[in-house]
Amino acid sequence: MMKLKPLAEQTVVITGASSGIGRVTAIRAARRGARVVLMGRDEAALRDVAETIATRGGTARHRAGDVGREEDVEAVANLAALEFGGFDTWVNNAGVAMFSRLEETVEADARRLFDTNFWGTVHGSLVALKTLKLSGGALVNVGSIAGDFGVPVQGMYSASKHAVRAFTDTLRIELEAEGAPVSVTLVKPAAVATPIIGNVVNTTGREAKLPAPHYAPEEVAHAILYAAEHPQRDIYVGGTGRLMSLFAQAAPHLADKVSARFGEEAQLGEPQGERADNLHAPGDHAAAADEADTGRRSLYTRATLDPNSPVAAATAASGALFDLALSILAPRRN
């Protein structure tokens, strides 16, 4: 089994660090002693994250850039090398979303989404490997359960996450064949309570929403930082998402019918006019908190990542069912 450094001895690069999952992950990594290097498109938001970390005694550097541009990603790797002599974990977290039926999707918008979600992951991974293959370390790609099955209204987003999954799986195989000292993990969150939904491209004419339950960004950060220290293949964040994935694999035709019947209504609310989005330019991070204590915890994810529990498997299974029960019985958070 590959050995990874304790987080307190690491330098961690995080893309998409200006809000949501990236922001929470950066702050928590720094709290645990890691040096962090932050990338995102919004210079002011990145500076705010770095200053928050500094006021709490942590160490952070940041550089604004677009993951869709390989030269911007290279510049962040160079910053890590200049400031800290390199890095030990690279997290490809940057992502944007889109609510649009496939026949109504503007091609330029779809290409821009792929530039961020897919090509951003490709650029980050290949740039990171130039360092990680020499020194060893962890590559963590943030995908989605939407990469396991189709999602109506979010078809292009789902397609981009399918591409991230295929790229990550193939990269892992090729590195294994080389004997490269790099751990490659794909983190697959279910719905997460982040600002992304408020900045989404939306052509439906109705309010965009994510089906309950909404998991806390902290749960995804926990999974990412666990993978930085412990080699993992895949980590599902949220038992509900894991069960949805298993359902789609075990009974694909039935899963399609259920999604066709309920999928759109579960994701669309009241009529809504046009609003700003973050596809082609940085979005509004005003709602982002340092460590947003919103959303639910996932017993499933915590159990699956607990190597010391003699009943981890059983707890994980019951946790998945518990998360699903919450999604059905508990009031939804919008």
Side-chain angles (χ1 to χ4, degrees), residues 99-120:
F99 277 57
S100 180
R101 297 177 184 88
L102 293 175
E103 292 181 309
E104 299 171 357
T105 300
V106 177
E107 182 176 333
D109 287 348
R111 289 182 178 275
R112 176 58 200 169
L113 180 144
F114 265 79
D115 281 345
T116 299
N117 293 3
F118 175 67
W119 284 108

Side-chain angles (χ1 to χ4, degrees), residues 6 18 21 24 63 77 98 111 122 146 156 160 166 201 211 303-304 320 334:
S18 57
I21 293 168
V24 173
R63 184 181 181 94
M98 176 187 297
R111 289 182 178 275
V122 172
M156 281 299 174
S160 73
V201 173
T304 57
N334 295 318

Side-chain angles (χ1 to χ4, degrees), residues 205-297:
R206 295 172 62 183
E207 175 193 10
K209 62 180 183 178
L210 296 175
H214 301 163
Y215 293 98
E218 177 189 35
E219 297 302 286
V220 189
H222 177 73
I224 291 170
L225 297 181
Y226 186 89
E229 295 183 302
H230 308 89
Q232 300 287 306
R233 188 181 193 280
D234 298 307
I235 302 175
Y236 283 87
V237 179
T240 302
R242 183 57 176 140
L243 287 174
M244 290 171 64
S245 180
L246 290 172
F247 178 39
Q249 294 171 29
H253 296 296
L254 179 58
D256 286 350
K257 290 184 179 296
V258 171
S259 189
R261 174 66 178 85
F262 301 105
E264 286 198 14
E265 287 304 310
Q267 300 176 88
L268 299 176
E270 298 299 318
Q272 177 179 276
E274 291 187 9
R275 55 185 299 174
D277 60 71
N278 70 344
L279 186 62
H280 297 279
D284 179 13
H285 302 303
D290 293 344
E291 297 158 281
D293 190 19
T294 59
R296 295 195 176 98
R297 304 296 183 255

Side-chain angles (χ1 to χ4, degrees), residues 15-40:
T15 71
S18 57
S19 67
I21 293 168
R23 181 183 180 102
V24 173
T25 303
I27 291 172
R28 292 183 177 276
R31 176 190 291 173
R32 291 180 54 186
R35 301 167 297 278
V36 295
V37 180
L38 316 174
M39 181 182 184

